[in-house]
């Protein structure tokens, strides 16, 4: 076994973002390497495949400027690790964990592998502590709980970032206290990143940001969320904090994965994404949760912009199979001027069952939520019928449900200011009463 | 046999190991990761590693163990929770903390617990594999200790034993134990297969009435995300009238497994009393645990299920979801650079699945008992598209098909079983069995299907002409079927009606149909009154 770094200048081929090296001794799979270009600049990389002395390395940075004879690759003999210390809070890093805020790196308490280890399912505590986001569509009908992973599915042009900003600035934990936000930006434009920066600066519990912007190294996007989650796990399970991890946009992550898979000449799956996209996404999403007998939680809120507004696209599809529900934004609601444009019908929170009711929110929460769902779903179904036969051809009861759907969107979904869960439930109950649907 | 690692690509490791057999288990690297030999080449063995390979280096040792991937069978499995390689997860928490570490296996059975053995055979008796040596009480069931080898009994003692301690020996010196190993990929033998003879009561009205299951049967339920696969599967795991439930969380959510454990610990077994967990074995290989172990997990699970079947028990295996298993197979196949079939899945996907389904059935056990193994597997088709290869391969092998419908799920109609597309090939036998519980079962089923069919046609018309344009009898039909949908077919998995015994199922439908008949009669009376020129 090697005990120190080893430097090689045996690069045989460069096929961005992959490097092929020969005559390497004792390489590790997943080993972190540094690639030193002829001009002295350094990039991070990782060992992908080893066949005797031949090693395939994936580069997280730019391949431009590399050459075969003089480029050096330094093998670290370890997998990639993240420096951990409470001092990370309040800091801004790039996708490779280099400070962007002009401050020096903090002194790490310890280092941890960025890929993490799977949480033993029997060590998990059931997520059941209510988080009040201030949005009725979420709190009332798709309740978020601590330790849940709940993605936001949006479409190009919808105000996803305003919705997310609203959740960040309004969210309150049931037991008091504030979130620490770990913000991971993947391929964001400078404008969007600045928008989020302003939101983060106002977070009471502090934040850690990892920014990879649209004009920065694509493959680094595979690394940034792992840094973010490693830091989140540390803050949650060793420091006892409630951490909210916001990753936006997962589509850019998946595209980076596809790019590497294509460079490796792997067999493409649906839409060109690799067959292991599910497992890879799960290795990120499943890091959310709580641990029995320990304080702290990792709640994960990934943003997925559905390509072509298509929820069956592999990225939202596989995400939905892993996460505990989804929040879906609707173009139709947005066009009608409703904010937040959350469509509650395809939205779902699988962990809502345990987060609501007496002692958590209110005893009548479930009954109100069920009533609203039932009426709104029927109203929405009737809208299609209305488009065909016209309102006059419909039964009086059906016309009432059509009105209900309109009122529900205008008075319950739409909101201009934060609502407490009590106000949300009161609004829902009032709506049901108005249409004579309460207690059914 | 020893060798060293020469190459690594994801979970696939090659080593200069010669003289090993295919599917032999090996220990890989300094950490002792568990792997299986999947391909032999001159001077080289290709190994599938079941644990995370990150950090593994070329040149690390590889040791062959001389045996195939084994499942350890013995008392103490019930109530346990294991990973895909049958490592006891609670014991791993105690040893390693909340996060799973690679390497370092643990014996799956509790080595300190003592079991009271009551022997069934005396010294001098001849035994064959699978024959009953004796019994121990394991929770609610009589756990039969089955002979692993043939021979003549030289000694067999009653009393309290740990699973490690010998309980006797055969004339040839073979020691007898409470536990025995079995290779996971080989089906356990039986004397012969028997025809199905009993219904599998799930307590789900829609399934029991419209698409009934039988003990020893197989069913799949495909559905996109959010269609309630897991909730339905867990509801059946809670209420099915079987002795033992083996639940495999194959590539699914960790929080769901935590939830399942909490709930099963708190709930009572509706058929025998006792905690629900005492009749359940959970195999958890969540989506972030190593992919290759996910592939092995369903074999570990079915072997455990067969072991209890061999005691003459009724066993139900639930897997959530078989698509994740197929994807693991695909990942392994592609890392071995095999020629892909449809959508990248290996060409042997269909045959592997069919062979797996064949491990279900009713059998006469080697001990002379009669046991059954039923299977219910969920399928997660990408994009909810049922034409994909895994669903199609399952359809060829399974006896019942419950299609979970995203449209119903969005309307919060659960279980979201689509009554037009779903089917059960066991309907004919099962209706006969259920008639013992409710004599009019077949008639109710017939009428329910007929009304649902009529409503489907009528709804198309109503979409065009509007409900106002329909005749009174048609509107009555729509209203009655609306009640069937809301009060009968949908069933809240989190309320008192989560389990509906056959009598209650029949009574519920009978009531709705009676109201419908009264309505029809009323309308007929009005019509008759109208033609005779008004009432009295």
């Amino acid at each position: 076994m090697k005990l120190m770094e080893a430097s090689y200048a045996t690069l045989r081929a460069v096929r961005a973002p992959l490097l092929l090296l020969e005559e390497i001794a004792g390489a590790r799979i997943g080993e972190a390497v540094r690639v030193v270009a002829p001009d002295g600049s350094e990039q991070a990389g990782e060992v992908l495949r080893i066949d005797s002395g031949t090693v395939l390395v994936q580069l997280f940075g730019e391949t431009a400027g590399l050459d075969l004879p003089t480029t050096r690759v330094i093998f670290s003999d370890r997998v990639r690790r993240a420096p951990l210390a409470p001092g990370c809070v309040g800091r801004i890093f790039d996708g490779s964990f280099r400070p962007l805020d002009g401050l020096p790196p903090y002194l790490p308490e310890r280092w941890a592998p960025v890929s993490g280890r799977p949480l033993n399912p029997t060590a998990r505590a059931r997520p059941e502590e209510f988080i009040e986001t201030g949005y009725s569509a979420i709190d009332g009908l798709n309740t978020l709980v601590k330790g849940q992973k709940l993605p936001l599915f949006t479409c190009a042009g919808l105000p996803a970032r305003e919705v997310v900003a609203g959740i960040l600035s309004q969210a309150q934990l049931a037991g008091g206290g504030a979130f620490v936000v770990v913000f991971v930006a993947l391929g964001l434009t400078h404008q969007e990143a600045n928008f989020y920066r302003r939101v983060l600066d106002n977070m009471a519990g502090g934040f850690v940001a990892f920014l990879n912007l649209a004009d920065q190294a694509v493959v680094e996007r595979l690394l940034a969320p792992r840094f973010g989650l490693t830091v989140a796990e540390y803050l949650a399970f060793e420091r006892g904090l409630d951490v909210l991890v916001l990753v936006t946009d997962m589509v850019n992550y998946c595209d980076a994965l596809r790019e590497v898979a294509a460079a490796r000449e792997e067999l493409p799956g649906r839409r060109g994404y690799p067959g292991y996209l599910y497992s890879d996404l799960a290795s990120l999403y499943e890091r959310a949760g709580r641990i029995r007998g320990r304080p702290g939680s990792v709640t994960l809120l990934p943003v997925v912009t559905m390509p072509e507004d298509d929820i069956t696209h592999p990225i939202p599809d596989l995400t939905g199979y892993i996460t505990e529900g989804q929040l879906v934004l609707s173009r139709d609601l947005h066009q009608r001027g409703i904010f937040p444009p959350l469509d509650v019908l395809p939205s779902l929170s699988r962990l809502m069952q345990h987060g609501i009711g007496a002692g958590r929110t209110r005893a009548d929460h479930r009954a109100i939520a069920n009533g609203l769902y039932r009426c709104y779903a029927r109203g929405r179904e009737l809208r299609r019928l209305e488009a065909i036969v016209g309102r006059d051809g419909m039964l009086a009861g059906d016309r009432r449900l059509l009105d209900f759907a309109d009122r529900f969107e205008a008075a319950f979904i739409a909101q201009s200011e934060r609502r407490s869960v009590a106000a949300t439930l009161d609004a829902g109950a009032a709506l049901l009463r108005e249409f004579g649907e309460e207690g059914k | 046999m020893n060798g060293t690692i020469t190459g690594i690509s994801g979970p696939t490791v090659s080593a200069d190991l010669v003289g090993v057999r295919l599917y032999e288990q090996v220990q890989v690297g300094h950490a002792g990761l568990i792997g299986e030999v999947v391909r032999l080449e001159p001077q080289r063995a290709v190994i599938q590693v079941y644990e995370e390979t990150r950090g593994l280096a070329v040149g690390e040792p590889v040791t062959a163990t001389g045996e195939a991937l084994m499942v350890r069978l013995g008392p103490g499995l019930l109530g346990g929770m294991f990973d895909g390689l049958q490592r006891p997860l609670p014991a791993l928490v105690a040893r390693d903390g909340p996060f799973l570490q690679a390497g370092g296996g643990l014996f799956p059975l509790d080595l300190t617990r003592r079991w009271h053995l009551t022997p069934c055979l005396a010294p001098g008796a001849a035994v064959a594999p699978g024959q009953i040596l004796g019994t121990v009480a394991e929770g609610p069931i009589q756990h039969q200790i089955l002979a692993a080898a043939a021979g003549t009994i030289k000694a067999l003692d009653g009393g309290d034993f740990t699973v490690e301690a010998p309980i006797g020996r055969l004339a040839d010196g073979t020691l007898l134990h409470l536990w025995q190993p079995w290779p996971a990929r080989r089906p356990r033998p039986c004397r012969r297969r028997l025809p199905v003879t009993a219904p599998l009561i799930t307590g789900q009205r829609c399934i029991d009435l419209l698409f009934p299951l039988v003990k020893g049967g197989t069913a799949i339920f495909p559905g996109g995300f959010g269609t309630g696969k897991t909730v339905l599967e867990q509801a059946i795991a809670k209420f099915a009238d079987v002795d033992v439930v083996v639940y495999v969380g194959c590539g699914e959510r960790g929080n769901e497994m935590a939830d399942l454990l909490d709930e099963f610990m708190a709930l009572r077994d509706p058929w025998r009393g006792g905690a629900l967990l005492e009749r359940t074995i959970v195999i958890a290989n969540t989506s972030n645990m190593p992919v290759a172990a996910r592939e092995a997990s369903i074999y570990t699970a079915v072997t455990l299920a067969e072991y209890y079947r061999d005691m003459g028990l009724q066993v139900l295996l639930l897997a959530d979801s078989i698509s994740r298993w197929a994807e693991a197979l695909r990942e392994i196949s592609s890392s071995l650079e095999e020629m892909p079939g449809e959508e990248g899945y290996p060409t042997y996907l269909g045959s592997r699945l069919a062979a797996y389904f064949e491990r279900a059935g009713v059998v006469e056990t080697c001990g002379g008992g009669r046991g059954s193994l039923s299977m219910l597997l969920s399928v997660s088709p990408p994009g909810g598209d049922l034409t994909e290869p895994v669903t199609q391969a399952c359809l060829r092998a399974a006896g019942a098909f419950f299609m979970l419908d995203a449209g119903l799920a969005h309307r919060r109609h659960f279980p979201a079983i689509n009554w037009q597309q779903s089917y059960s090939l066991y309907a004919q036998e099962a209706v006969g069995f259920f008639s013992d519980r409710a004599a009019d079962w077949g008639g109710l089923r017939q009428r329910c299907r007929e009304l649902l069919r009529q409503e489907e046609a009528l709804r198309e018309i109503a979409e065009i002409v509007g409900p106002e344009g329909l005749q009174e009898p048609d509107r009555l039909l729509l209203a009655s079927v609306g009640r069937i949908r809301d009060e009968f077919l949908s069933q809240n998995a989190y309320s008192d009606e989560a389990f509906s015994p056959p009598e209650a199922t029949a009574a519920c439908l009978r009531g709705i149909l009676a109201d419908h008949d009264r309505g029809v009669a009323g309308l007929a009376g009005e019509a008759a009154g109208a033609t005779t020129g008004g009432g009295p």
Side-chain angles (χ1 to χ4, degrees):
Chain A
M1 193 196 278
K2 300 170 298 176
L3 289 171
M4 58 171 88
E5 293 188 338
S7 173
Y8 292 89
T10 52
L11 195 57
R12 287 293 171 268
V14 179
R15 197 170 51 209
L18 304 179
L19 311 179
L20 193 71
L21 291 105
E22 284 180 354
E23 297 165 49
I24 309 293
R28 292 181 184 279
I29 194 85
E31 183 171 348
V33 302
R34 285 179 293 141
V35 179
V36 186
D39 63 2
S41 65
E42 271 192 23
Q43 314 276 1
E46 184 173 304
V47 173
L48 277 189
R49 190 170 65 210
I50 313 167
D51 192 1
S52 302
T54 309
V55 170
L56 188 73
V57 165
Q58 160 185 311
L59 201 66
F60 291 114
E62 289 297 330
T63 38
L66 299 187
D67 71 352
L68 295 185
T70 60
T71 297
R72 280 184 307 120
V73 179
I74 301 166
F75 284 71
S76 67
D77 199 32
R78 329 189 141 92
V79 295
R80 182 161 306 282
R81 299 179 309 163
L84 300 177
C88 64
V89 178
R91 301 293 305 271
I92 301 173
F93 304 94
D94 74 357
S96 297
F97 223 131
R98 286 177 293 230
L100 284 179
D101 45 14
L103 298 170
Y106 55 84
L107 193 66
E109 206 171 63
R110 67 182 192 86
W111 296 75
V114 297
S115 52
R117 310 263 359 153
L119 193 52
N120 186 322
T122 48
R124 281 184 185 270
R126 177 160 82 182
E128 54 192 9
E129 291 166 275
F130 172 65
I131 295 170
E132 190 180 86
T133 65
Y135 286 134
S136 295
I138 300 175
D139 295 346
L141 298 174
N142 296 288
T143 316
L144 177 67
V145 293
K146 261 194 226 174
Q148 185 171 13
K149 40 192 181 292
L150 192 66
L152 182 71
F153 289 173
T154 176
C155 310
L158 297 190
R161 65 176 193 206
E162 283 78 8
V163 174
V164 169
I167 295 175
L168 288 185
S169 52
Q170 299 172 8
Q172 279 179 11
L173 298 170
F179 274 122
V180 179
V181 175
V182 172
F183 177 66
V184 183
L186 303 173
L188 241 52
T189 62
H190 281 86
Q191 194 197 346
E192 283 173 312
N194 285 335
F195 173 86
Y196 280 115
R197 282 281 291 276
R198 282 196 298 278
V199 178
L200 289 174
D201 282 336
N202 293 321
M203 293 300 305
F207 68 90
V208 190
F210 296 89
L211 305 179
N212 169 290
L213 302 183
D215 54 358
Q216 290 170 342
V218 170
V219 188
E220 198 180 64
R221 290 168 199 168
L222 300 180
L223 209 50
R226 294 190 161 81
F227 279 130
L229 285 161
T230 307
V231 166
E233 281 177 345
Y234 164 77
L235 292 174
F237 304 132
E238 288 176 40
R239 294 276 146 195
L241 301 171
D242 289 307
V243 184
L244 178 74
V245 183
L246 171 66
V247 187
T248 177
D249 186 317
M250 284 306 293
V251 172
N252 292 326
Y253 174 86
C254 296
D255 284 356
L257 198 68
R258 177 166 67 177
E259 202 171 314
V260 174
R264 292 182 72 176
E265 297 180 356
E266 286 175 3
L267 195 76
R270 278 199 303 154
R271 301 275 188 127
Y273 293 98
Y276 50 79
L277 183 60
Y278 177 83
S279 303
D280 193 280
L281 286 174
S283 73
L284 299 180
Y285 294 148
E286 276 290 324
R287 292 173 79 170
R290 291 167 65 227
I291 297 181
R292 233 176 254 270
R294 289 197 194 184
S297 61
V298 175
T299 308
L300 184 58
L301 190 73
V303 176
V304 177
T305 303
M306 298 182 283
E308 300 157 35
D309 299 9
D310 179 10
I311 201 167
T312 68
H313 183 281
I315 299 171
D317 188 47
L318 295 179
T319 297
Y321 272 124
I322 303 164
T323 54
E324 284 127 1
Q326 63 277 335
L327 299 170
V328 185
L329 296 191
S330 146
R331 197 175 285 284
D332 177 53
L333 288 176
H334 178 60
Q335 279 164 351
R336 285 191 282 128
I338 290 165
F339 182 88
L342 280 158
D343 188 349
V344 296
L345 294 190
S347 297
L348 170 73
S349 167
R350 291 167 189 271
L351 302 179
M352 178 171 175
Q353 288 295 340
H354 304 297
I356 63 170
R360 303 235 175 252
T361 53
R362 222 164 73 179
D364 57 352
H365 192 151
R366 185 156 311 149
I368 292 172
N370 288 346
L372 292 173
Y373 249 118
R374 188 170 36 88
C375 297
Y376 182 58
R378 273 165 51 202
R380 280 272 293 267
E381 218 179 310
L382 289 165
R383 274 190 193 157
R384 288 191 305 136
L385 188 60
E386 186 192 17
I388 304 167
V389 302
R391 197 178 164 88
D392 296 339
M394 302 181 70
L395 301 172
D398 290 351
R399 286 202 293 266
R400 202 166 45 83
L401 283 167
L402 281 174
D403 293 337
F404 178 90
D406 292 338
R407 287 275 295 136
F408 174 78
E409 287 168 0
F412 188 83
I413 299 288
Q415 59 188 93
S416 49
E417 54 193 16
R418 186 180 197 286
R419 268 188 217 139
S420 69
V421 68
T424 288
L425 294 177
D426 288 343
L431 207 55
L432 290 173
R433 214 163 26 243
E434 184 183 329
F435 285 84
E437 290 282 349
E438 85 233 85
K440 276 195 184 173
Chain B
M1 228 94 47
N2 291 307
T4 55
I5 298 174
T6 57
I8 312 167
S9 172
T12 308
V13 165
S14 41
D16 54 355
L17 203 59
V18 287
V20 288
R21 275 174 297 179
L22 205 60
Y23 290 109
E24 187 169 333
Q25 196 182 319
V26 292
Q27 292 193 332
V28 179
H30 295 299
L33 310 180
I34 300 175
E36 212 179 18
V37 176
V38 290
R39 184 181 287 170
L40 290 172
E41 287 170 13
Q43 307 305 313
R44 193 170 85 115
V46 179
I47 297 156
Q48 180 64 53
V49 180
Y50 286 121
E51 302 184 64
E52 174 66 55
T53 52
R54 266 183 110 73
L56 202 62
V58 164
E60 287 192 36
V62 178
T63 315
T65 62
E67 59 175 19
L69 189 69
M70 289 290 181
V71 180
R72 268 77 184 171
L73 304 168
L77 291 165
L78 291 179
M81 188 168 185
F82 306 93
D83 77 352
L85 302 172
Q86 211 200 355
R87 277 179 298 209
L89 289 167
L92 285 177
V93 176
R95 192 187 71 180
D96 298 338
F99 291 94
L100 291 166
Q101 308 299 322
L106 262 187
F107 194 76
L109 300 166
D110 185 345
L111 295 174
T112 56
R113 185 159 168 194
R114 300 178 83 82
W115 300 90
H116 185 78
L117 175 71
T118 313
C120 301
L121 295 173
V127 288
Q131 219 174 322
I132 307 161
L133 296 174
T135 59
V136 302
E138 183 185 10
I141 68 152
Q142 278 297 311
H143 185 116
Q144 299 177 347
I145 305 301
L146 305 172
T152 308
I153 293 178
K154 178 86 177 180
L156 180 62
D157 303 323
D160 292 341
F161 296 96
T162 64
V163 285
E164 268 184 320
I167 55 170
R169 64 192 146 83
L170 298 179
D172 64 3
T174 311
L175 290 175
L176 300 172
H177 292 94
L178 291 180
W179 76 278
Q180 57 177 298
W182 187 265
R185 295 182 191 278
R186 193 188 317 153
R188 282 178 61 85
C190 60
R191 272 193 203 156
R192 60 195 174 102
R193 291 180 158 263
L194 301 171
V196 297
T197 48
L200 180 75
I201 299 169
T202 64
Q204 303 298 306
R205 288 188 291 256
C206 178
I207 295 177
D208 286 348
L209 188 88
L210 291 178
F211 312 109
L213 296 174
V214 289
K215 294 206 175 78
T218 56
I220 59 162
F221 45 109
F225 65 82
T227 52
K229 285 187 298 297
T230 302
V231 174
L232 178 60
E233 189 137 37
Q234 294 190 0
I236 295 173
K238 288 174 205 163
F239 304 122
D241 71 324
V242 291
D243 302 309
V244 172
V245 171
V246 180
Y247 189 98
V248 203
C250 178
E252 289 290 313
R253 304 175 182 91
N255 280 336
E256 267 168 11
M257 301 311 297
D259 190 28
L260 180 131
L261 277 190
D262 274 9
E263 224 179 324
F264 277 42
M265 243 180 288
L267 286 174
R268 313 296 295 170
D269 174 353
W271 299 90
R272 290 167 171 273
L276 204 49
L277 202 60
E278 281 179 14
R279 71 164 198 181
T280 313
I281 304 173
V282 179
I283 305 284
N285 205 268
T286 56
S287 56
N288 55 340
M289 283 155 79
V291 172
R294 194 188 300 165
E295 194 274 328
S297 67
I298 66 163
Y299 291 101
T300 302
V302 76
T303 307
L304 294 174
E306 283 175 342
Y307 175 62
Y308 281 94
R309 175 205 69 187
D310 289 347
M311 297 174 202
L313 297 171
Q314 315 306 319
V315 185
L316 173 64
L317 174 92
L318 296 145
D320 185 19
S321 111
I322 204 74
S323 295
R324 305 297 165 226
W325 168 81
E327 285 164 12
L329 198 68
R330 173 169 70 183
E331 238 167 274
I332 292 165
S333 163
S334 105
S335 77
L336 292 172
E337 297 180 355
E338 291 176 339
M339 186 66 89
E342 231 178 316
E343 287 195 17
Y345 288 104
T347 46
Y348 47 80
L349 170 70
S351 54
R352 288 267 173 101
L353 263 176
Y356 188 75
F357 276 98
E358 276 305 289
R359 291 178 79 164
V362 184
V363 300
E364 185 184 320
T365 66
C366 294
R370 184 190 182 87
S372 74
L373 169 51
S374 318
M375 283 187 191
L376 248 111
L377 312 177
S378 76
V379 182
S380 316
D385 169 18
L386 302 186
T387 63
E388 56 94 35
V390 181
T391 312
Q392 291 303 313
C394 285
L395 276 177
R396 290 204 297 272
F401 164 66
F402 310 141
M403 183 190 136
L404 299 186
D405 190 323
L408 291 174
H410 285 177
R411 288 204 295 272
R412 296 299 191 267
H413 174 112
F414 290 111
I417 298 172
N418 179 309
W419 48 87
Q420 310 291 337
Q421 310 279 329
S422 305
Y423 63 79
S424 165
L425 300 179
Y426 310 114
Q428 213 144 41
E429 293 103 334
V431 167
F433 306 142
F434 276 105
S435 301
D436 298 343
R437 302 286 293 265
D440 55 349
W441 194 266
L444 288 171
R445 179 167 188 269
Q446 199 56 43
R447 284 206 62 196
C448 181
R449 284 162 59 103
E450 180 59 23
L451 287 175
L452 289 169
R453 198 187 54 73
Q454 288 176 0
E455 186 238 19
E456 182 73 8
L458 208 53
R459 255 192 323 148
E460 281 171 24
I461 299 171
E463 300 245 318
I464 302 164
V465 301
E468 286 284 15
L470 291 178
Q471 301 287 314
E472 284 290 333
D474 291 342
R475 290 227 285 262
L476 173 66
L477 183 95
L478 284 183
S480 295
V481 174
R483 282 190 62 199
I484 291 182
R485 295 162 68 137
D486 294 343
E487 295 167 32
F488 182 77
L489 293 175
S490 62
Q491 190 170 344
N492 189 337
Y494 297 99
S495 69
D496 297 341
E497 58 148 23
F499 172 69
S500 171
E503 291 79 7
T505 297
C508 172
L509 184 60
R510 215 179 278 135
I512 299 172
L513 292 179
D515 287 349
H516 177 70
D517 289 342
R518 266 195 296 279
V520 170
L523 286 176
E526 274 176 33
T531 46
T532 53

